[in-house]
Amino acid sequence: MHGKIMGTGRCVPDKVVDNDYLSTVMDTSDEWISSRTGIRERRIATTESTVTMAAGAAENALLSAGLGIRDVDMILVATASPDNFVPGTACEVQAILNKEAEEVKTDPENPSGTYEACHAVCMDINAACSGFIYALSVANAFIQCGQYRNILVIGVETLSKIVDWSDRSTCVLFGDGAGAVVIGASEDGIFRHLLHTDGSMGHVLSCHCRDNNNPVVRNEVQTGYVQMDGQEVFKFAVKRVPECISELLEQNHIEKKDINYYLLHQANVKIIKSVAKRLGEEMEKFPVNLDKYGNTSAASIPILLDECNRSGMFKKGDKLVLSGFGGGLTWGAVLLEW
Ligand code: COA
């Protein structure tokens, strides 16, 4: 038994912020941003929050899977930008979805509706931009060991609240949003995962805790903003991602020609092109939507997956590789059959 994607969903903020707008509020230009990254616009949360977007994406994924919240045994949320440290985002999503399901019970048009709360086990996973791949892998492991059957996996970020809007070299790269999948237990097809971490390189992409005025121990003041050595991150990604994908395929005796699509973390189109080249694969196999959303970290792969799924791109039996990379440093890949 292993995981299988039963449904997908997404929820992104309404507010679209394009590069031209950014060039009116900071010293940048559409030419600089789009030529170096491929990003043209991103969504920025105004009324939305990490929890509301996560719940919205989860509802859409459940609808697409034809399941209700009571069918879910576990909720995993990958995020580096939760609304609160405690409770975890996954717990809050469970509460929202339960409340909405309960309201159906009191709906006058559905007076006989019965309701029993979902008690799915909930936890958050922080592996930065690899978070969704890590969460999918945890879900797959729980299904493989036979403990759970249906797991909701959500990737969500409100990065606009943790980037430094006075640092043009980072803030223009990121965006907000959420994507989700329902993973069910299945004997069909393939679902394999491979994860890697190098904690010694954590400093190249970080976001420290904010100074909290602790009167007992005065810590060095921390900014609480995303800080990044862009060129080091670029070098790491273009080396580690193709290595990891090749390792996963070799482990499972699958050849690259048998892969229909590679869905990579959407950070920079130059990274995606470089990975495609190093794998010896055509860019046609690498769907891209970072021009519309920027880098949404843990949300980028499930948002892309949902867009591709809803556009009818995938056929039953297609083999997909999903791969994420980012802070930690973390990286990993999932091989699955649609
Ligand atoms: N607009 C205009 N100029 C900017 C700018 C902006 N938004 N941000 C930085 N610059 C300037 C810098 O001040 C610097 O100017 P200087 O040379 O006068 O000091 C110059 O542009 C740096 O440009 P360049 O050397 O061409 O940068 P780069 O090629 O390294 O590109 C990134 C920068 C961030 C786009 C690139 O390193 C990158 O994409 N790295 C990967 C980052 C990433 O994807 N992280 C997330 C992974 S999960």
Side-chain angles (χ1 to χ4, degrees), residues 26-29 32-33 36-37 129 167-170 172-174 205 228-234 237 265 267-268 270-271 295 325-327:
M26 65 185 74
D27 184 12
T28 190
S29 64
W32 193 96
I33 301 169
R36 282 170 181 75
T37 67
C129 302
D167 175 7
R168 64 179 181 169
S169 68
T170 54
V172 302
L173 306 175
F174 296 101
L205 179 46
M228 182 178 68
D229 181 337
Q231 292 187 359
E232 278 301 317
V233 174
F234 196 101
H265 167 48
N268 182 321
K270 289 187 171 176
I271 294 178
N295 177 347
F325 54 90

mmCIF file of all heavy atoms in Angstrom, residues 26-29 32-33 36-37 129 167-170 172-174 205 228-234 237 265 267-268 270-271 295 325-327, ligand 1:
data_model
loop_
_atom_site.group_PDB
_atom_site.id
_atom_site.type_symbol
_atom_site.label_atom_id
_atom_site.label_comp_id
_atom_site.label_asym_id
_atom_site.label_seq_id
_atom_site.Cartn_x
_atom_site.Cartn_y
_atom_site.Cartn_z
ATOM 1 N N MET A 26 9.549 50.914 -5.018
ATOM 2 C CA MET A 26 10.956 50.648 -4.671
ATOM 3 C C MET A 26 11.799 50.768 -5.936
ATOM 4 O O MET A 26 11.258 50.841 -7.053
ATOM 5 C CB MET A 26 11.114 49.261 -4.026
ATOM 6 C CG MET A 26 10.797 48.116 -4.952
ATOM 7 S SD MET A 26 10.847 46.523 -4.117
ATOM 8 C CE MET A 26 9.341 46.566 -3.157
ATOM 9 N N ASP A 27 13.118 50.771 -5.743
ATOM 10 C CA ASP A 27 14.023 50.968 -6.871
ATOM 11 C C ASP A 27 14.235 49.636 -7.603
ATOM 12 O O ASP A 27 15.209 48.921 -7.344
ATOM 13 C CB ASP A 27 15.361 51.526 -6.336
ATOM 14 C CG ASP A 27 16.320 51.843 -7.459
ATOM 15 O OD1 ASP A 27 15.889 51.851 -8.639
ATOM 16 O OD2 ASP A 27 17.510 52.073 -7.154
ATOM 17 N N THR A 28 13.281 49.295 -8.462
ATOM 18 C CA THR A 28 13.388 48.060 -9.248
ATOM 19 C C THR A 28 12.668 48.274 -10.575
ATOM 20 O O THR A 28 12.188 49.377 -10.853
ATOM 21 C CB THR A 28 12.787 46.864 -8.471
ATOM 22 O OG1 THR A 28 13.127 45.660 -9.153
ATOM 23 C CG2 THR A 28 11.278 46.945 -8.317
ATOM 24 N N SER A 29 12.633 47.250 -11.409
ATOM 25 C CA SER A 29 11.954 47.387 -12.705
ATOM 26 C C SER A 29 11.451 46.023 -13.157
ATOM 27 O O SER A 29 11.982 44.979 -12.744
ATOM 28 C CB SER A 29 12.933 47.917 -13.754
ATOM 29 O OG SER A 29 13.972 46.964 -13.943
ATOM 30 N N TRP A 32 14.356 44.117 -14.731
ATOM 31 C CA TRP A 32 15.307 43.444 -13.825
ATOM 32 C C TRP A 32 14.694 42.148 -13.293
ATOM 33 O O TRP A 32 15.307 41.089 -13.331
ATOM 34 C CB TRP A 32 15.680 44.352 -12.645
ATOM 35 C CG TRP A 32 16.876 43.824 -11.873
ATOM 36 C CD1 TRP A 32 18.179 44.200 -12.052
ATOM 37 C CD2 TRP A 32 16.884 42.808 -10.850
ATOM 38 N NE1 TRP A 32 19.000 43.473 -11.197
ATOM 39 C CE2 TRP A 32 18.227 42.610 -10.456
ATOM 40 C CE3 TRP A 32 15.905 42.036 -10.240
ATOM 41 C CZ2 TRP A 32 18.617 41.695 -9.470
ATOM 42 C CZ3 TRP A 32 16.281 41.111 -9.265
ATOM 43 C CH2 TRP A 32 17.627 40.949 -8.898
ATOM 44 N N ILE A 33 13.454 42.249 -12.801
ATOM 45 C CA ILE A 33 12.851 41.074 -12.146
ATOM 46 C C ILE A 33 12.574 39.967 -13.170
ATOM 47 O O ILE A 33 12.960 38.813 -12.975
ATOM 48 C CB ILE A 33 11.536 41.455 -11.420
ATOM 49 C CG1 ILE A 33 11.790 42.531 -10.362
ATOM 50 C CG2 ILE A 33 10.899 40.217 -10.775
ATOM 51 C CD1 ILE A 33 10.531 43.154 -9.777
ATOM 52 N N ARG A 36 15.729 38.180 -14.784
ATOM 53 C CA ARG A 36 16.530 37.320 -13.900
ATOM 54 C C ARG A 36 15.760 36.149 -13.304
ATOM 55 O O ARG A 36 16.350 35.178 -12.873
ATOM 56 C CB ARG A 36 17.141 38.142 -12.762
ATOM 57 C CG ARG A 36 18.354 38.922 -13.218
ATOM 58 C CD ARG A 36 18.793 39.902 -12.171
ATOM 59 N NE ARG A 36 19.944 40.677 -12.615
ATOM 60 C CZ ARG A 36 19.898 41.663 -13.497
ATOM 61 N NH1 ARG A 36 18.743 41.991 -14.055
ATOM 62 N NH2 ARG A 36 20.997 42.313 -13.836
ATOM 63 N N THR A 37 14.435 36.285 -13.258
ATOM 64 C CA THR A 37 13.668 35.251 -12.550
ATOM 65 C C THR A 37 12.514 34.651 -13.356
ATOM 66 O O THR A 37 12.084 33.540 -13.064
ATOM 67 C CB THR A 37 13.041 35.829 -11.259
ATOM 68 O OG1 THR A 37 12.036 36.794 -11.634
ATOM 69 C CG2 THR A 37 14.078 36.496 -10.373
ATOM 70 N N CYS A 129 10.925 25.830 1.405
ATOM 71 C CA CYS A 129 10.367 25.615 0.057
ATOM 72 C C CYS A 129 10.273 24.133 -0.313
ATOM 73 O O CYS A 129 9.640 23.789 -1.307
ATOM 74 C CB CYS A 129 11.179 26.364 -0.984
ATOM 75 S SG CYS A 129 11.255 28.128 -0.661
ATOM 76 N N ASP A 167 14.239 45.427 1.290
ATOM 77 C CA ASP A 167 15.326 44.678 0.639
ATOM 78 C C ASP A 167 14.845 44.202 -0.732
ATOM 79 O O ASP A 167 14.217 43.146 -0.859
ATOM 80 C CB ASP A 167 15.731 43.486 1.526
ATOM 81 C CG ASP A 167 16.770 42.596 0.867
ATOM 82 O OD1 ASP A 167 17.277 42.968 -0.220
ATOM 83 O OD2 ASP A 167 17.055 41.523 1.423
ATOM 84 N N ARG A 168 15.156 44.998 -1.763
ATOM 85 C CA ARG A 168 14.621 44.694 -3.097
ATOM 86 C C ARG A 168 15.168 43.390 -3.656
ATOM 87 O O ARG A 168 14.591 42.823 -4.596
ATOM 88 C CB ARG A 168 14.941 45.845 -4.069
ATOM 89 C CG ARG A 168 16.432 46.025 -4.282
ATOM 90 C CD ARG A 168 16.738 47.147 -5.252
ATOM 91 N NE ARG A 168 18.191 47.263 -5.443
ATOM 92 C CZ ARG A 168 18.760 47.989 -6.356
ATOM 93 N NH1 ARG A 168 18.014 48.711 -7.176
ATOM 94 N NH2 ARG A 168 20.072 48.026 -6.475
ATOM 95 N N SER A 169 16.304 42.901 -3.124
ATOM 96 C CA SER A 169 16.871 41.674 -3.691
ATOM 97 C C SER A 169 16.119 40.421 -3.243
ATOM 98 O O SER A 169 16.270 39.361 -3.844
ATOM 99 C CB SER A 169 18.358 41.549 -3.336
ATOM 100 O OG SER A 169 18.505 41.340 -1.951
ATOM 101 N N THR A 170 15.286 40.524 -2.211
ATOM 102 C CA THR A 170 14.474 39.355 -1.811
ATOM 103 C C THR A 170 12.968 39.588 -1.990
ATOM 104 O O THR A 170 12.273 38.704 -2.483
ATOM 105 C CB THR A 170 14.714 38.959 -0.330
ATOM 106 O OG1 THR A 170 14.499 40.106 0.496
ATOM 107 C CG2 THR A 170 16.092 38.395 -0.098
ATOM 108 N N VAL A 172 11.003 41.068 -3.988
ATOM 109 C CA VAL A 172 10.343 40.968 -5.299
ATOM 110 C C VAL A 172 10.140 39.521 -5.740
ATOM 111 O O VAL A 172 9.405 39.252 -6.692
ATOM 112 C CB VAL A 172 11.139 41.732 -6.390
ATOM 113 C CG1 VAL A 172 11.301 43.194 -6.020
ATOM 114 C CG2 VAL A 172 12.511 41.083 -6.649
ATOM 115 N N LEU A 173 10.817 38.593 -5.050
ATOM 116 C CA LEU A 173 10.810 37.198 -5.509
ATOM 117 C C LEU A 173 9.606 36.394 -5.012
ATOM 118 O O LEU A 173 9.262 35.375 -5.603
ATOM 119 C CB LEU A 173 12.082 36.472 -5.025
ATOM 120 C CG LEU A 173 13.422 37.115 -5.372
ATOM 121 C CD1 LEU A 173 14.558 36.338 -4.720
ATOM 122 C CD2 LEU A 173 13.602 37.161 -6.890
ATOM 123 N N PHE A 174 9.001 36.843 -3.904
ATOM 124 C CA PHE A 174 8.057 35.957 -3.208
ATOM 125 C C PHE A 174 6.591 36.372 -3.366
ATOM 126 O O PHE A 174 6.291 37.520 -3.696
ATOM 127 C CB PHE A 174 8.428 35.902 -1.720
ATOM 128 C CG PHE A 174 9.796 35.289 -1.492
ATOM 129 C CD1 PHE A 174 10.902 36.088 -1.244
ATOM 130 C CD2 PHE A 174 9.965 33.918 -1.572
ATOM 131 C CE1 PHE A 174 12.171 35.522 -1.050
ATOM 132 C CE2 PHE A 174 11.223 33.344 -1.385
ATOM 133 C CZ PHE A 174 12.326 34.147 -1.123
ATOM 134 N N LEU A 205 19.893 30.789 3.534
ATOM 135 C CA LEU A 205 18.480 31.183 3.359
ATOM 136 C C LEU A 205 17.818 31.038 4.722
ATOM 137 O O LEU A 205 17.574 29.927 5.196
ATOM 138 C CB LEU A 205 17.816 30.273 2.307
ATOM 139 C CG LEU A 205 16.345 30.483 1.972
ATOM 140 C CD1 LEU A 205 16.006 31.942 1.764
ATOM 141 C CD2 LEU A 205 15.995 29.708 0.720
ATOM 142 N N MET A 228 18.759 36.115 2.349
ATOM 143 C CA MET A 228 19.170 35.083 1.402
ATOM 144 C C MET A 228 20.429 35.484 0.651
ATOM 145 O O MET A 228 20.585 36.630 0.251
ATOM 146 C CB MET A 228 18.028 34.878 0.395
ATOM 147 C CG MET A 228 18.301 33.810 -0.625
ATOM 148 S SD MET A 228 16.896 33.593 -1.724
ATOM 149 C CE MET A 228 16.916 35.134 -2.603
ATOM 150 N N ASP A 229 21.313 34.497 0.460
ATOM 151 C CA ASP A 229 22.433 34.660 -0.466
ATOM 152 C C ASP A 229 21.974 34.031 -1.782
ATOM 153 O O ASP A 229 22.068 32.814 -1.985
ATOM 154 C CB ASP A 229 23.669 33.941 0.094
ATOM 155 C CG ASP A 229 24.878 34.078 -0.807
ATOM 156 O OD1 ASP A 229 24.693 34.313 -2.014
ATOM 157 O OD2 ASP A 229 26.000 33.944 -0.298
ATOM 158 N N GLY A 230 21.423 34.876 -2.658
ATOM 159 C CA GLY A 230 20.745 34.387 -3.866
ATOM 160 C C GLY A 230 21.632 33.514 -4.744
ATOM 161 O O GLY A 230 21.189 32.478 -5.251
ATOM 162 N N GLN A 231 22.888 33.902 -4.889
ATOM 163 C CA GLN A 231 23.748 33.137 -5.802
ATOM 164 C C GLN A 231 24.097 31.764 -5.227
ATOM 165 O O GLN A 231 24.166 30.775 -5.960
ATOM 166 C CB GLN A 231 24.993 33.948 -6.146
ATOM 167 C CG GLN A 231 24.578 35.157 -7.000
ATOM 168 C CD GLN A 231 25.737 35.949 -7.555
ATOM 169 O OE1 GLN A 231 26.889 35.633 -7.310
ATOM 170 N NE2 GLN A 231 25.421 36.998 -8.295
ATOM 171 N N GLU A 232 24.298 31.695 -3.888
ATOM 172 C CA GLU A 232 24.567 30.382 -3.258
ATOM 173 C C GLU A 232 23.348 29.470 -3.389
ATOM 174 O O GLU A 232 23.486 28.271 -3.653
ATOM 175 C CB GLU A 232 24.903 30.553 -1.765
ATOM 176 C CG GLU A 232 26.337 30.942 -1.500
ATOM 177 C CD GLU A 232 27.354 29.933 -2.050
ATOM 178 O OE1 GLU A 232 27.152 28.721 -1.904
ATOM 179 O OE2 GLU A 232 28.347 30.382 -2.647
ATOM 180 N N VAL A 233 22.160 30.051 -3.197
ATOM 181 C CA VAL A 233 20.939 29.240 -3.304
ATOM 182 C C VAL A 233 20.782 28.732 -4.735
ATOM 183 O O VAL A 233 20.425 27.569 -4.970
ATOM 184 C CB VAL A 233 19.699 30.058 -2.872
ATOM 185 C CG1 VAL A 233 18.418 29.274 -3.116
ATOM 186 C CG2 VAL A 233 19.795 30.441 -1.406
ATOM 187 N N PHE A 234 21.081 29.602 -5.683
ATOM 188 C CA PHE A 234 20.982 29.216 -7.090
ATOM 189 C C PHE A 234 21.907 28.028 -7.387
ATOM 190 O O PHE A 234 21.498 27.020 -7.974
ATOM 191 C CB PHE A 234 21.364 30.423 -7.967
ATOM 192 C CG PHE A 234 20.954 30.276 -9.404
ATOM 193 C CD1 PHE A 234 19.822 30.914 -9.884
ATOM 194 C CD2 PHE A 234 21.702 29.505 -10.285
ATOM 195 C CE1 PHE A 234 19.432 30.773 -11.214
ATOM 196 C CE2 PHE A 234 21.324 29.359 -11.605
ATOM 197 C CZ PHE A 234 20.188 29.992 -12.070
ATOM 198 N N ALA A 237 20.647 24.788 -5.822
ATOM 199 C CA ALA A 237 19.455 24.209 -6.467
ATOM 200 C C ALA A 237 19.813 23.502 -7.776
ATOM 201 O O ALA A 237 19.362 22.374 -8.014
ATOM 202 C CB ALA A 237 18.421 25.305 -6.714
ATOM 203 N N HIS A 265 9.655 23.041 -7.709
ATOM 204 C CA HIS A 265 9.389 24.244 -6.919
ATOM 205 C C HIS A 265 9.615 25.466 -7.808
ATOM 206 O O HIS A 265 10.633 25.564 -8.513
ATOM 207 C CB HIS A 265 10.317 24.271 -5.705
ATOM 208 C CG HIS A 265 10.351 25.590 -5.014
ATOM 209 N ND1 HIS A 265 9.202 26.274 -4.680
ATOM 210 C CD2 HIS A 265 11.401 26.363 -4.617
ATOM 211 C CE1 HIS A 265 9.546 27.416 -4.099
ATOM 212 N NE2 HIS A 265 10.858 27.495 -4.050
ATOM 213 N N ALA A 267 10.732 28.738 -8.135
ATOM 214 C CA ALA A 267 11.504 29.836 -7.553
ATOM 215 C C ALA A 267 11.994 30.772 -8.646
ATOM 216 O O ALA A 267 11.885 31.999 -8.519
ATOM 217 C CB ALA A 267 12.683 29.293 -6.759
ATOM 218 N N ASN A 268 12.535 30.184 -9.721
ATOM 219 C CA ASN A 268 13.194 30.991 -10.740
ATOM 220 C C ASN A 268 13.227 30.160 -12.014
ATOM 221 O O ASN A 268 13.666 29.001 -11.985
ATOM 222 C CB ASN A 268 14.618 31.315 -10.249
ATOM 223 C CG ASN A 268 15.377 32.193 -11.209
ATOM 224 O OD1 ASN A 268 15.285 32.036 -12.420
ATOM 225 N ND2 ASN A 268 16.146 33.121 -10.660
ATOM 226 N N LYS A 270 15.112 30.302 -14.455
ATOM 227 C CA LYS A 270 16.478 29.918 -14.847
ATOM 228 C C LYS A 270 16.912 28.646 -14.115
ATOM 229 O O LYS A 270 17.660 27.842 -14.667
ATOM 230 C CB LYS A 270 17.466 31.056 -14.547
ATOM 231 C CG LYS A 270 17.304 32.234 -15.477
ATOM 232 C CD LYS A 270 18.421 33.221 -15.216
ATOM 233 C CE LYS A 270 18.438 34.313 -16.253
ATOM 234 N NZ LYS A 270 19.456 35.320 -15.958
ATOM 235 N N ILE A 271 16.471 28.489 -12.866
ATOM 236 C CA ILE A 271 16.788 27.252 -12.132
ATOM 237 C C ILE A 271 16.107 26.076 -12.834
ATOM 238 O O ILE A 271 16.718 25.026 -13.072
ATOM 239 C CB ILE A 271 16.334 27.350 -10.655
ATOM 240 C CG1 ILE A 271 17.153 28.413 -9.909
ATOM 241 C CG2 ILE A 271 16.438 25.985 -9.962
ATOM 242 C CD1 ILE A 271 16.746 28.629 -8.448
ATOM 243 N N ASN A 295 7.598 33.175 -6.111
ATOM 244 C CA ASN A 295 7.982 32.009 -5.316
ATOM 245 C C ASN A 295 7.062 31.934 -4.091
ATOM 246 O O ASN A 295 7.164 32.773 -3.189
ATOM 247 C CB ASN A 295 9.456 32.172 -4.900
ATOM 248 C CG ASN A 295 9.946 31.039 -4.009
ATOM 249 O OD1 ASN A 295 9.165 30.256 -3.491
ATOM 250 N ND2 ASN A 295 11.256 30.979 -3.835
ATOM 251 N N PHE A 325 13.098 22.387 -3.182
ATOM 252 C CA PHE A 325 14.415 22.719 -2.635
ATOM 253 C C PHE A 325 14.296 24.055 -1.923
ATOM 254 O O PHE A 325 13.480 24.892 -2.311
ATOM 255 C CB PHE A 325 15.458 22.819 -3.769
ATOM 256 C CG PHE A 325 15.047 23.764 -4.872
ATOM 257 C CD1 PHE A 325 15.374 25.109 -4.830
ATOM 258 C CD2 PHE A 325 14.291 23.320 -5.943
ATOM 259 C CE1 PHE A 325 14.967 25.992 -5.824
ATOM 260 C CE2 PHE A 325 13.866 24.193 -6.951
ATOM 261 C CZ PHE A 325 14.214 25.522 -6.888
ATOM 262 N N GLY A 326 15.093 24.234 -0.864
ATOM 263 C CA GLY A 326 15.034 25.530 -0.189
ATOM 264 C C GLY A 326 15.723 25.526 1.155
ATOM 265 O O GLY A 326 16.622 24.713 1.415
ATOM 266 N N GLY A 327 15.250 26.440 2.027
ATOM 267 C CA GLY A 327 15.897 26.684 3.315
ATOM 268 C C GLY A 327 16.071 25.415 4.125
ATOM 269 O O GLY A 327 15.270 24.484 4.068
HETATM 270 N N1 COA B 1 15.786 45.431 -8.826
HETATM 271 C C1 COA B 1 16.866 46.035 -9.363
HETATM 272 N N2 COA B 1 18.118 45.743 -8.991
HETATM 273 C C2 COA B 1 18.284 44.831 -8.032
HETATM 274 C C3 COA B 1 17.217 44.168 -7.426
HETATM 275 C C4 COA B 1 15.928 44.515 -7.849
HETATM 276 N N3 COA B 1 14.818 43.937 -7.340
HETATM 277 N N4 COA B 1 17.681 43.321 -6.507
HETATM 278 C C5 COA B 1 19.010 43.410 -6.523
HETATM 279 N N5 COA B 1 19.379 44.323 -7.447
HETATM 280 C C6 COA B 1 20.736 44.733 -7.780
HETATM 281 C C7 COA B 1 21.696 44.536 -6.645
HETATM 282 O O1 COA B 1 21.712 45.654 -5.805
HETATM 283 C C8 COA B 1 22.992 44.363 -7.364
HETATM 284 O O2 COA B 1 23.442 45.625 -7.764
HETATM 285 P P1 COA B 1 25.017 45.981 -7.747
HETATM 286 O O3 COA B 1 25.655 45.020 -8.717
HETATM 287 O O4 COA B 1 25.041 47.396 -8.198
HETATM 288 O O5 COA B 1 25.461 45.766 -6.354
HETATM 289 C C9 COA B 1 22.582 43.636 -8.612
HETATM 290 O O6 COA B 1 21.196 43.883 -8.817
HETATM 291 C C10 COA B 1 22.787 42.142 -8.498
HETATM 292 O O7 COA B 1 22.429 41.653 -9.727
HETATM 293 P P2 COA B 1 22.907 40.250 -10.225
HETATM 294 O O8 COA B 1 24.334 39.976 -9.835
HETATM 295 O O9 COA B 1 22.559 40.146 -11.655
HETATM 296 O O10 COA B 1 22.013 39.288 -9.354
HETATM 297 P P3 COA B 1 21.828 37.791 -9.631
HETATM 298 O O11 COA B 1 22.120 37.443 -11.031
HETATM 299 O O12 COA B 1 22.515 37.006 -8.566
HETATM 300 O O13 COA B 1 20.262 37.597 -9.433
HETATM 301 C C11 COA B 1 18.698 36.621 -7.946
HETATM 302 C C12 COA B 1 19.734 37.728 -8.160
HETATM 303 C C13 COA B 1 18.185 36.747 -6.542
HETATM 304 C C14 COA B 1 17.568 36.831 -8.941
HETATM 305 C C15 COA B 1 19.357 35.233 -8.171
HETATM 306 O O14 COA B 1 20.556 35.138 -7.436
HETATM 307 C C16 COA B 1 18.443 34.107 -7.815
HETATM 308 O O15 COA B 1 17.378 33.956 -8.346
HETATM 309 N N6 COA B 1 18.894 33.249 -6.888
HETATM 310 C C17 COA B 1 18.070 32.161 -6.405
HETATM 311 C C18 COA B 1 17.159 32.703 -5.363
HETATM 312 C C19 COA B 1 16.009 31.814 -5.077
HETATM 313 O O16 COA B 1 15.377 31.304 -5.977
HETATM 314 N N7 COA B 1 15.721 31.623 -3.804
HETATM 315 C C20 COA B 1 14.666 30.850 -3.324
HETATM 316 C C21 COA B 1 14.993 29.404 -3.423
HETATM 317 S S1 COA B 1 13.890 28.455 -2.576
#
